[in-house]
Amino acid sequence: MKPNESAEDIQIRFALHNVHRAVEDIVRLVKMPEFDLSTPVNHRWDMKDMLAHLVAWHESFAKNLVLLSKGAPPDPPQGTLREVNREGVLALRGQSTDQLIRRLRKAQKLVEANAFNECITVIPYRKPGTSYTRLQHLEVVAHHIQGHFWEMLGKSLIKNEAL
């Protein structure tokens, strides 16, 4: 805790730590030698697609934090959740796993650099859609990444048990 740190800053610091930990959990998971990125996660995506999905959303969050920090209007993804998810994965499908990891970590650094900017009051998630405060958005992001981490881990364990 820092001197004169507000209650909101303490909450943001905690939430930011959760997001950082979730990002690093995903990175550690996909870097495991026995982790098979071609394992299906659902009827549309494999593990690498899921990583691309997380990168697309994290980059969007980071980009909007940076824009808002500079006083510029945000540029959230537009469309239905299904459309935004599909477009994000398709745009990143050609990236290698290492490239996706680098992009995820770069986005995380931008999030960390801008999360305490008090000029940012709300951050849009997508258009049309909900906007969140900095704290709410960090909590949503941590929950989103953690949820997919457990989903990916579960699918990986099921596949390995079947072998």
Side-chain angles (χ1 to χ4, degrees), residues 45-46 50 66-67 75 81 87 116 119-120 126 139 153 163:
W45 295 344
D46 61 19
M50 186 61 76
V66 169
L67 287 170
D75 184 25
L81 201 52
E87 290 168 15
F116 291 96
C119 294
I120 301 170
R126 72 179 164 87
E139 290 170 341
L153 180 62
L163 297 177

Side-chain angles (χ1 to χ4, degrees), residues 138-156:
L138 288 166
E139 290 170 341
V140 166
V141 168
H143 181 70
H144 179 229
I145 296 171
Q146 290 164 349
H148 286 311
F149 168 83
W150 289 110
E151 180 182 22
M152 292 166 73
L153 180 62
K155 296 289 182 178
S156 182

Side-chain angles (χ1 to χ4, degrees), residues 25-82:
D25 285 348
I26 287 288
V27 169
R28 280 190 295 277
L29 180 64
V30 301
K31 286 180 106 177
M32 289 175 57
E34 61 274 10
F35 190 80
D36 182 359
L37 284 160
S38 67
T39 302
V41 178
N42 56 43
H43 66 281
R44 295 184 321 256
W45 295 344
D46 61 19
M47 298 286 190
K48 188 173 177 211
D49 290 334
M50 186 61 76
L51 176 60
H53 163 74
L54 292 170
V55 171
W57 275 107
H58 213 48
E59 286 182 336
S60 173
F61 178 37
K63 176 179 86 173
N64 283 303
L65 275 176
V66 169
L67 287 170
L68 291 164
S69 290
K70 293 178 179 178
D75 184 25
Q78 295 186 18
T80 66
L81 201 52
R82 185 180 180 103

Side-chain angles (χ1 to χ4, degrees), residues 2-19:
K2 296 179 179 179
N4 301 322
E5 191 171 38
S6 70
E8 181 184 39
D9 282 348
I10 293 168
Q11 291 174 308
I12 288 172
R13 185 173 310 287
F14 182 75
L16 194 55
H17 172 77
N18 285 341
V19 174

Side-chain angles (χ1 to χ4, degrees), residues 96-149:
S96 71
T97 303
D98 286 339
Q99 288 171 314
L100 291 171
I101 289 169
R102 278 194 299 277
R103 290 177 74 143
L104 185 62
R105 283 180 164 157
K106 180 180 178 186
Q108 180 61 26
K109 285 180 183 173
L110 291 171
V111 168
E112 291 171 5
N114 293 282
F116 291 96
N117 187 326
E118 293 177 0
C119 294
I120 301 170
T121 54
V122 293
I123 307 149
Y125 194 69
R126 72 179 164 87
K127 213 175 204 179
T130 307
S131 293
Y132 297 105
T133 66
R134 290 172 291 137
L135 177 59
Q136 289 170 329
H137 210 309
L138 288 166
E139 290 170 341
V140 166
V141 168
H143 181 70
H144 179 229
I145 296 171
Q146 290 164 349
H148 286 311
F149 168 83

